[in-house]
């Protein structure tokens, strides 16, 4: 019990310090802190990888983008769900994160994961390639969030779904209203909402017609 309380206190202290620092500086989650990302937070059901996969209605054979994949917490469950005929494109600006993803996919015998080092918001994603996209605990780390949303919109096929996961423990947490405004400006329409103000999954759709 003491160890659990100490761990919670350490996590809370890191979160507060990081949140204060992030007000003035852009600091992506460093790869040495990936163990925190990989916890698949038990206090936020709407942010868990299995829940995200379920709400995106992933089908075998789909093309899926994991934007800001980190160490692959969501990438690998996505890869299992789409099967051998689908593909997950795992994008991150930190090569060290992508190396983790590739190593895990290899160790688990998954051959349907491709990695790409790129900064979201820089226009590097191919247009109209994906049936589904995920951006979990990433948006607040991106300096130009409007450009990142536009990249995600264009990377999806018409009718494609984007899941945005946000959790208040994340120092870069984005409020629902902020994400909805960014999404609406990019051209998305709301699809579904899960969770609550402090931990949620917002599913958006690229309309079938322009
Ligand atoms: C907190 S981690 C979340 C990882 C993963 N999505 C998850 O939920 O487990 C945020 C990740 O976003 C990446 N990131 C931050 N800004 C980015 C950008 N502009 N383009 C691509 N990746 C970015 C960071 O390198 C980091 O790996």
């Amino acid at each position: 019990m003491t160890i659990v309380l100490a761990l919670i206190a350490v996590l809370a202290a890191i979160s507060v310090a990081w949140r204060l620092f992030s007000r003035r500086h852009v600091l992506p989650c460093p790869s040495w802190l990936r163990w925190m990302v990989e916890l698949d937070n038990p206090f936020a059901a709407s942010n868990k990888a299995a829940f995200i996969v379920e709400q995106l209605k992933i089908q075998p054979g789909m093309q899926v983008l994991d934007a800001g994949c980190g160490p692959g917490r969501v990438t690998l469950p996505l890869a299992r769900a789409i099967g051998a005929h689908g593909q997950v494109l795992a994008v991150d600006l930190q090569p060290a994160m992508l190396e983790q993803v590739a190593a895990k996919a290899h160790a688990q015998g998954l051959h349907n994961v491709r990695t790409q080092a790129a900064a979201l918001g820089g226009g590097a994603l191919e247009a109209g390639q994906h049936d589904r996209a995920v951006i979990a605990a990433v948006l607040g780390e991106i300096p130009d969030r409007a450009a990142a949303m536009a990249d995600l919109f264009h990377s999806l096929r018409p009718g494609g779904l984007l899941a945005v996961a946000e959790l208040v423990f994340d120092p870069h947490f984005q409020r629902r209203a902020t994400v909805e405004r960014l999404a609406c400006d990019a051209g998305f329409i709301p699809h579904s909402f899960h969770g609550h103000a402090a931990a949620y999954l917002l599913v958006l759709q690229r309309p079938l017609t322009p």
Side-chain angles (χ1 to χ4, degrees), residues 28-29 37-38 66-74 91-94 97 118-121 135-138 141-143 170:
C29 173
V37 177
E38 289 185 285
D66 188 4
C69 58
R73 179 182 72 88
V74 187
V91 171
D92 205 287
L93 51 71
Q94 298 188 75
M97 293 293 197
L120 296 161
I135 181 161
V138 179
E141 295 187 14
I142 303 175
D170 178 356

Side-chain angles (χ1 to χ4, degrees), residues 45-201:
S46 60
N47 278 230
K48 287 173 93 83
F51 187 79
I52 295 172
V53 171
E54 190 186 331
Q55 296 311 320
L56 274 179
K57 304 186 188 335
I58 302 286
Q59 302 293 324
M62 279 185 165
Q63 302 291 312
V64 183
L65 169 69
D66 188 4
C69 58
R73 179 182 72 88
V74 187
T75 316
L76 298 169
L78 286 170
R80 283 191 286 275
I82 56 173
H85 298 295
Q87 191 177 66
V88 183
L89 175 63
V91 171
D92 205 287
L93 51 71
Q94 298 188 75
M97 293 293 197
L98 297 174
E99 282 162 21
Q100 284 291 315
V101 173
K104 283 187 203 166
H106 179 74
Q108 296 179 25
L110 293 165
H111 305 291
N112 56 356
V113 177
R114 191 159 67 87
T115 60
Q116 180 183 347
L120 296 161
L125 300 178
E126 255 186 275
Q129 290 298 304
H130 298 105
D131 303 294
R132 301 287 186 265
V134 178
I135 181 161
V138 179
L139 208 49
E141 295 187 14
I142 303 175
D144 190 343
R145 308 195 223 306
M149 268 298 184
D151 277 0
L152 293 167
F153 183 87
H154 291 296
S155 82
L156 281 168
R157 296 179 175 145
L161 299 178
L162 167 69
V164 185
E166 288 290 332
L167 177 62
V168 77
F169 299 135
D170 178 356
H172 304 94
F173 174 71
Q174 299 291 294
R175 288 184 305 119
R176 177 183 179 180
T178 307
V179 178
E180 284 179 338
R181 181 180 44 76
L182 287 166
C184 179
D185 290 349
F188 283 105
I189 52 173
H191 180 273
S192 56
F193 179 83
H194 313 270
H196 46 79
Y200 65 85
L201 184 73

